[in-house]
Amino acid sequence: LPDMPGYEKQLPEVRSTLQTGVPHARAIVDVAAFSGRITCTRRGEVILSGCPEFGASSHMARVLLAAAKVSPATRCALNIRHSDLILRTMRKIGLVLANFDRAEEPEDKRPIRDDDRTGTMDWGTMRALERHEAPAKVDAVHDPGAMGKEPMIRLLAPDAASLLEKVRRILEALG
């Protein structure tokens, strides 16, 4: 990622997290991520903060675990900035998208606190994939955000190489 020109422009405000799960991952501790997220300097230098660590990011780990329930081959995820241009570009290059709307989330699924270990990410990912006609083919799940919640695109892949190839294709198409 640090060597991909233009990646810094796709970082969301909350920054990115690259997740990789062990085969048959069932819990957050089965998913590794950089302990400090992926960020950038004011000059656009992409920085991988921290070291890979199991259980480092519960938020994106829940996305990956939910996706793997529907499509067991999914073992890698990365969040990027949400925009209509990026979504159009992803469709143009043949990536398959699924989405959910946080406004449809049942009250009992909403996290009570920010550190709650259940909620929107599990529900939203499952909802998007279960409503899609070909859930195993979905390359990304996105949502338009909500009050105080940044819109987000979450790329899904069977492995890091496939995920990075999707990122490369998106960046090349965006120019």
Side-chain angles (χ1 to χ4, degrees):
L1 292 172
D3 296 330
M4 291 185 175
Y7 180 71
E8 73 283 357
K9 295 175 186 160
Q10 308 320 315
L11 285 169
E13 290 296 320
V14 296
R15 301 314 192 206
S16 285
T17 304
L18 173 64
Q19 302 279 321
T20 301
V22 298
H24 313 293
R26 296 190 187 276
I28 292 168
V29 296
D30 297 328
V31 180
F34 288 96
S35 59
R37 297 188 187 184
I38 302 166
T39 189
C40 69
T41 66
R42 290 187 325 181
R43 292 181 302 259
E45 177 187 10
V46 175
I47 299 168
L48 305 176
S49 302
C51 297
E53 183 180 313
F54 283 95
S57 172
S58 66
H59 191 76
M60 280 296 290
R62 291 193 316 272
V63 169
L64 183 58
L65 293 169
K69 286 180 186 175
V70 178
S71 179
T74 302
R75 293 196 23 226
C76 200
L78 172 73
N79 61 313
I80 62 172
R81 187 170 61 85
H82 184 287
S83 76
D84 290 338
L85 175 61
I86 296 169
L87 294 173
R88 280 194 310 273
T89 300
M90 291 173 73
R91 287 184 187 100
K92 182 179 173 184
I93 62 173
L95 296 180
V96 178
L97 307 178
N99 70 301
F100 67 93
D101 186 341
R102 289 171 182 259
E104 297 172 356
E105 183 178 12
E107 202 57 47
D108 66 331
K109 299 293 182 189
R110 294 182 183 173
I112 297 167
R113 303 175 311 275
D114 285 342
D115 65 345
D116 221 348
R117 299 293 186 232
T118 61
T120 305
M121 292 304 95
D122 315 67
W123 171 84
T125 302
M126 292 294 290
R127 178 150 177 108
L129 294 174
E130 288 172 346
R131 289 177 22 186
H132 196 277
E133 61 191 27
K137 294 185 180 193
V138 171
D139 295 299
V141 171
H142 67 96
D143 77 273
M147 178 67 80
K149 300 295 181 181
E150 184 176 7
M152 196 68 58
I153 299 170
R154 298 160 192 92
L155 296 169
L156 306 171
D159 54 56
S162 300
L163 187 123
L164 293 175
E165 178 60 19
K166 290 177 188 182
V167 173
R168 185 195 61 74
R169 289 176 56 213
I170 293 166
L171 294 175
E172 283 182 1
L174 286 169

